[in-house]
PDB file of all heavy atoms in Angstrom:
ATOM      1  N   CYS Y 284      35.856 -39.840 -64.036  1.00 92.00           N
ATOM      2  CA  CYS Y 284      37.133 -39.163 -64.354  1.00 92.00           C
ATOM      3  C   CYS Y 284      37.897 -40.042 -65.340  1.00 92.00           C
ATOM      4  O   CYS Y 284      38.456 -41.076 -64.960  1.00 92.00           O
ATOM      5  CB  CYS Y 284      37.957 -38.957 -63.082  1.00 92.00           C
ATOM      6  SG  CYS Y 284      37.101 -38.014 -61.800  1.00 92.00           S
ATOM      7  N   ARG Y 285      37.868 -39.674 -66.614  1.00 91.00           N
ATOM      8  CA  ARG Y 285      38.445 -40.501 -67.676  1.00 91.00           C
ATOM      9  C   ARG Y 285      39.843 -40.027 -68.056  1.00 91.00           C
ATOM     10  O   ARG Y 285      40.027 -38.865 -68.411  1.00 91.00           O
ATOM     11  CB  ARG Y 285      37.540 -40.476 -68.905  1.00 91.00           C
ATOM     12  CG  ARG Y 285      36.123 -41.015 -68.651  1.00 91.00           C
ATOM     13  CD  ARG Y 285      36.155 -42.500 -68.313  1.00 91.00           C
ATOM     14  NE  ARG Y 285      34.847 -43.020 -67.992  1.00 91.00           N
ATOM     15  CZ  ARG Y 285      33.998 -43.509 -68.883  1.00 91.00           C
ATOM     16  NH1 ARG Y 285      34.318 -43.508 -70.164  1.00 91.00           N
ATOM     17  NH2 ARG Y 285      32.839 -43.997 -68.495  1.00 91.00           N
ATOM     18  N   LEU Y 286      40.809 -40.935 -67.982  1.00 91.00           N
ATOM     19  CA  LEU Y 286      42.182 -40.595 -68.370  1.00 91.00           C
ATOM     20  C   LEU Y 286      42.247 -40.218 -69.846  1.00 91.00           C
ATOM     21  O   LEU Y 286      41.558 -40.818 -70.680  1.00 91.00           O
ATOM     22  CB  LEU Y 286      43.114 -41.773 -68.100  1.00 91.00           C
ATOM     23  CG  LEU Y 286      43.405 -42.099 -66.623  1.00 91.00           C
ATOM     24  CD1 LEU Y 286      44.362 -43.278 -66.528  1.00 91.00           C
ATOM     25  CD2 LEU Y 286      43.973 -40.897 -65.896  1.00 91.00           C
ATOM     26  N   ALA Y 287      43.046 -39.211 -70.143  1.00 88.00           N
ATOM     27  CA  ALA Y 287      43.207 -38.732 -71.515  1.00 88.00           C
ATOM     28  C   ALA Y 287      44.680 -38.830 -71.906  1.00 88.00           C
ATOM     29  O   ALA Y 287      45.555 -39.109 -71.078  1.00 88.00           O
ATOM     30  CB  ALA Y 287      42.717 -37.285 -71.612  1.00 88.00           C
ATOM     31  N   GLU Y 288      44.947 -38.609 -73.193  1.00 84.00           N
ATOM     32  CA  GLU Y 288      46.332 -38.544 -73.646  1.00 84.00           C
ATOM     33  C   GLU Y 288      47.046 -37.427 -72.888  1.00 84.00           C
ATOM     34  O   GLU Y 288      46.452 -36.388 -72.588  1.00 84.00           O
ATOM     35  CB  GLU Y 288      46.379 -38.261 -75.145  1.00 84.00           C
ATOM     36  CG  GLU Y 288      45.905 -39.412 -76.021  1.00 84.00           C
ATOM     37  CD  GLU Y 288      46.823 -40.616 -75.932  1.00 84.00           C
ATOM     38  OE1 GLU Y 288      48.049 -40.412 -75.752  1.00 84.00           O
ATOM     39  OE2 GLU Y 288      46.321 -41.754 -76.020  1.00 84.00           O
ATOM     40  N   GLN Y 289      48.298 -37.660 -72.548  1.00 79.00           N
ATOM     41  CA  GLN Y 289      49.030 -36.713 -71.719  1.00 79.00           C
ATOM     42  C   GLN Y 289      48.907 -35.269 -72.227  1.00 79.00           C
ATOM     43  O   GLN Y 289      49.226 -34.971 -73.373  1.00 79.00           O
ATOM     44  CB  GLN Y 289      50.513 -37.108 -71.666  1.00 79.00           C
ATOM     45  CG  GLN Y 289      51.313 -36.305 -70.668  1.00 79.00           C
ATOM     46  CD  GLN Y 289      50.734 -36.428 -69.254  1.00 79.00           C
ATOM     47  OE1 GLN Y 289      50.457 -37.515 -68.783  1.00 79.00           O
ATOM     48  NE2 GLN Y 289      50.536 -35.302 -68.592  1.00 79.00           N
ATOM     49  N   GLY Y 290      48.379 -34.407 -71.335  1.00 75.00           N
ATOM     50  CA  GLY Y 290      48.265 -32.991 -71.659  1.00 75.00           C
ATOM     51  C   GLY Y 290      46.989 -32.605 -72.375  1.00 75.00           C
ATOM     52  O   GLY Y 290      46.691 -31.415 -72.511  1.00 75.00           O
ATOM     53  N   SER Y 291      46.197 -33.596 -72.835  1.00 84.00           N
ATOM     54  CA  SER Y 291      44.996 -33.263 -73.608  1.00 84.00           C
ATOM     55  C   SER Y 291      43.744 -33.133 -72.741  1.00 84.00           C
ATOM     56  O   SER Y 291      42.724 -32.636 -73.198  1.00 84.00           O
ATOM     57  CB  SER Y 291      44.755 -34.317 -74.698  1.00 84.00           C
ATOM     58  OG  SER Y 291      44.452 -35.576 -74.113  1.00 84.00           O
ATOM     59  N   GLY Y 292      43.820 -33.592 -71.470  1.00 86.00           N
ATOM     60  CA  GLY Y 292      42.660 -33.505 -70.593  1.00 86.00           C
ATOM     61  C   GLY Y 292      42.536 -32.132 -69.953  1.00 86.00           C
ATOM     62  O   GLY Y 292      43.490 -31.343 -69.921  1.00 86.00           O
ATOM     63  N   ALA Y 293      41.349 -31.853 -69.431  1.00 90.00           N
ATOM     64  CA  ALA Y 293      41.102 -30.551 -68.789  1.00 90.00           C
ATOM     65  C   ALA Y 293      41.789 -30.446 -67.428  1.00 90.00           C
ATOM     66  O   ALA Y 293      42.017 -29.341 -66.929  1.00 90.00           O
ATOM     67  CB  ALA Y 293      39.600 -30.325 -68.637  1.00 90.00           C
ATOM     68  N   TYR Y 294      42.131 -31.584 -66.828  1.00 92.00           N
ATOM     69  CA  TYR Y 294      42.737 -31.596 -65.493  1.00 92.00           C
ATOM     70  C   TYR Y 294      44.020 -32.414 -65.543  1.00 92.00           C
ATOM     71  O   TYR Y 294      44.135 -33.394 -66.284  1.00 92.00           O
ATOM     72  CB  TYR Y 294      41.765 -32.191 -64.468  1.00 92.00           C
ATOM     73  CG  TYR Y 294      40.381 -31.588 -64.553  1.00 92.00           C
ATOM     74  CD1 TYR Y 294      39.403 -32.189 -65.364  1.00 92.00           C
ATOM     75  CD2 TYR Y 294      40.043 -30.429 -63.865  1.00 92.00           C
ATOM     76  CE1 TYR Y 294      38.135 -31.638 -65.467  1.00 92.00           C
ATOM     77  CE2 TYR Y 294      38.775 -29.870 -63.968  1.00 92.00           C
ATOM     78  CZ  TYR Y 294      37.827 -30.485 -64.779  1.00 92.00           C
ATOM     79  OH  TYR Y 294      36.573 -29.926 -64.894  1.00 92.00           O
ATOM     80  N   CYS Y 295      44.981 -32.015 -64.717  1.00 91.00           N
ATOM     81  CA  CYS Y 295      46.285 -32.670 -64.747  1.00 91.00           C
ATOM     82  C   CYS Y 295      46.853 -32.742 -63.333  1.00 91.00           C
ATOM     83  O   CYS Y 295      46.683 -31.816 -62.538  1.00 91.00           O
ATOM     84  CB  CYS Y 295      47.226 -31.885 -65.655  1.00 91.00           C
ATOM     85  SG  CYS Y 295      48.783 -32.706 -65.988  1.00 91.00           S
ATOM     86  N   GLY Y 296      47.489 -33.861 -62.987  1.00 91.00           N
ATOM     87  CA  GLY Y 296      48.060 -33.983 -61.649  1.00 91.00           C
ATOM     88  C   GLY Y 296      49.016 -35.146 -61.532  1.00 91.00           C
ATOM     89  O   GLY Y 296      49.210 -35.923 -62.478  1.00 91.00           O
ATOM     90  N   GLN Y 297      49.600 -35.265 -60.346  1.00 93.00           N
ATOM     91  CA  GLN Y 297      50.600 -36.300 -60.086  1.00 93.00           C
ATOM     92  C   GLN Y 297      49.993 -37.404 -59.235  1.00 93.00           C
ATOM     93  O   GLN Y 297      49.274 -37.141 -58.263  1.00 93.00           O
ATOM     94  CB  GLN Y 297      51.807 -35.691 -59.383  1.00 93.00           C
ATOM     95  CG  GLN Y 297      52.987 -36.653 -59.247  1.00 93.00           C
ATOM     96  CD  GLN Y 297      54.215 -35.952 -58.698  1.00 93.00           C
ATOM     97  OE1 GLN Y 297      54.112 -35.098 -57.831  1.00 93.00           O
ATOM     98  NE2 GLN Y 297      55.391 -36.290 -59.220  1.00 93.00           N
ATOM     99  N   VAL Y 312      45.171 -38.798 -57.165  1.00 94.00           N
ATOM    100  CA  VAL Y 312      45.912 -37.809 -57.950  1.00 94.00           C
ATOM    101  C   VAL Y 312      45.857 -36.445 -57.283  1.00 94.00           C
ATOM    102  O   VAL Y 312      44.774 -35.938 -56.966  1.00 94.00           O
ATOM    103  CB  VAL Y 312      45.341 -37.724 -59.382  1.00 94.00           C
ATOM    104  CG1 VAL Y 312      46.076 -36.658 -60.187  1.00 94.00           C
ATOM    105  CG2 VAL Y 312      45.433 -39.084 -60.070  1.00 94.00           C
ATOM    106  N   LEU Y 327      40.547 -41.512 -59.075  1.00 94.00           N
ATOM    107  CA  LEU Y 327      40.196 -41.885 -60.444  1.00 94.00           C
ATOM    108  C   LEU Y 327      40.300 -43.394 -60.584  1.00 94.00           C
ATOM    109  O   LEU Y 327      41.068 -44.045 -59.857  1.00 94.00           O
ATOM    110  CB  LEU Y 327      41.160 -41.262 -61.466  1.00 94.00           C
ATOM    111  CG  LEU Y 327      41.169 -39.769 -61.758  1.00 94.00           C
ATOM    112  CD1 LEU Y 327      41.593 -38.937 -60.568  1.00 94.00           C
ATOM    113  CD2 LEU Y 327      42.096 -39.496 -62.947  1.00 94.00           C
ATOM    114  N   GLN Y 333      46.607 -50.494 -67.969  1.00 88.00           N
ATOM    115  CA  GLN Y 333      47.352 -49.248 -68.141  1.00 88.00           C
ATOM    116  C   GLN Y 333      48.505 -49.167 -67.129  1.00 88.00           C
ATOM    117  O   GLN Y 333      48.324 -49.429 -65.944  1.00 88.00           O
ATOM    118  CB  GLN Y 333      46.421 -48.043 -67.966  1.00 88.00           C
ATOM    119  CG  GLN Y 333      47.056 -46.730 -68.409  1.00 88.00           C
ATOM    120  CD  GLN Y 333      45.995 -45.736 -68.859  1.00 88.00           C
ATOM    121  OE1 GLN Y 333      44.831 -46.060 -68.985  1.00 88.00           O
ATOM    122  NE2 GLN Y 333      46.422 -44.505 -69.104  1.00 88.00           N
ATOM    123  N   HIS Y 339      53.864 -40.662 -61.503  1.00 92.00           N
ATOM    124  CA  HIS Y 339      53.482 -40.361 -62.882  1.00 92.00           C
ATOM    125  C   HIS Y 339      52.557 -39.147 -62.919  1.00 92.00           C
ATOM    126  O   HIS Y 339      51.749 -38.921 -62.005  1.00 92.00           O
ATOM    127  CB  HIS Y 339      52.755 -41.552 -63.514  1.00 92.00           C
ATOM    128  CG  HIS Y 339      53.673 -42.624 -63.983  1.00 92.00           C
ATOM    129  ND1 HIS Y 339      53.250 -43.723 -64.697  1.00 92.00           N
ATOM    130  CD2 HIS Y 339      55.020 -42.777 -63.845  1.00 92.00           C
ATOM    131  CE1 HIS Y 339      54.280 -44.500 -64.979  1.00 92.00           C
ATOM    132  NE2 HIS Y 339      55.363 -43.951 -64.456  1.00 92.00           N
ATOM    133  N   VAL Y 340      52.652 -38.370 -63.971  1.00 92.00           N
ATOM    134  CA  VAL Y 340      51.722 -37.259 -64.203  1.00 92.00           C
ATOM    135  C   VAL Y 340      50.649 -37.745 -65.172  1.00 92.00           C
ATOM    136  O   VAL Y 340      50.964 -38.322 -66.225  1.00 92.00           O
ATOM    137  CB  VAL Y 340      52.459 -36.038 -64.785  1.00 92.00           C
ATOM    138  CG1 VAL Y 340      51.455 -34.940 -65.177  1.00 92.00           C
ATOM    139  CG2 VAL Y 340      53.458 -35.494 -63.764  1.00 92.00           C
ATOM    140  N   VAL Y 341      49.376 -37.553 -64.791  1.00 92.00           N
ATOM    141  CA  VAL Y 341      48.267 -38.011 -65.628  1.00 92.00           C
ATOM    142  C   VAL Y 341      47.356 -36.835 -65.962  1.00 92.00           C
ATOM    143  O   VAL Y 341      47.283 -35.848 -65.229  1.00 92.00           O
ATOM    144  CB  VAL Y 341      47.447 -39.124 -64.949  1.00 92.00           C
ATOM    145  CG1 VAL Y 341      48.282 -40.375 -64.771  1.00 92.00           C
ATOM    146  CG2 VAL Y 341      46.878 -38.656 -63.614  1.00 92.00           C
ATOM    147  N   SER Y 342      46.658 -36.977 -67.070  1.00 92.00           N
ATOM    148  CA  SER Y 342      45.710 -35.965 -67.535  1.00 92.00           C
ATOM    149  C   SER Y 342      44.350 -36.645 -67.664  1.00 92.00           C
ATOM    150  O   SER Y 342      44.273 -37.809 -68.073  1.00 92.00           O
ATOM    151  CB  SER Y 342      46.174 -35.412 -68.885  1.00 92.00           C
ATOM    152  OG  SER Y 342      45.285 -34.419 -69.354  1.00 92.00           O
ATOM    153  N   PHE Y 343      43.280 -35.941 -67.293  1.00 93.00           N
ATOM    154  CA  PHE Y 343      41.952 -36.567 -67.356  1.00 93.00           C
ATOM    155  C   PHE Y 343      40.859 -35.522 -67.581  1.00 93.00           C
ATOM    156  O   PHE Y 343      41.050 -34.327 -67.395  1.00 93.00           O
ATOM    157  CB  PHE Y 343      41.671 -37.367 -66.079  1.00 93.00           C
ATOM    158  CG  PHE Y 343      41.585 -36.546 -64.821  1.00 93.00           C
ATOM    159  CD1 PHE Y 343      40.348 -36.105 -64.325  1.00 93.00           C
ATOM    160  CD2 PHE Y 343      42.733 -36.219 -64.094  1.00 93.00           C
ATOM    161  CE1 PHE Y 343      40.276 -35.362 -63.167  1.00 93.00           C
ATOM    162  CE2 PHE Y 343      42.656 -35.475 -62.922  1.00 93.00           C
ATOM    163  CZ  PHE Y 343      41.427 -35.041 -62.454  1.00 93.00           C
ATOM    164  N   ASP Y 344      39.706 -36.018 -68.005  1.00 93.00           N
ATOM    165  CA  ASP Y 344      38.491 -35.213 -68.135  1.00 93.00           C
ATOM    166  C   ASP Y 344      37.438 -35.756 -67.174  1.00 93.00           C
ATOM    167  O   ASP Y 344      37.528 -36.905 -66.722  1.00 93.00           O
ATOM    168  CB  ASP Y 344      37.951 -35.276 -69.571  1.00 93.00           C
ATOM    169  CG  ASP Y 344      38.884 -34.597 -70.565  1.00 93.00           C
ATOM    170  OD1 ASP Y 344      39.190 -33.410 -70.353  1.00 93.00           O
ATOM    171  OD2 ASP Y 344      39.300 -35.262 -71.541  1.00 93.00           O
TER     172      ASP Y 344
END
Side-chain angles (χ1 to χ4, degrees):
C284 303
R285 300 295 177 89
L286 290 181
E288 290 294 327
Q289 189 58 48
S291 65
Y294 311 92
C295 189
Q297 188 173 38
V312 178
L327 290 65
Q333 192 153 352
H339 280 187
V340 173
V341 295
S342 181
F343 65 95
D344 293 304

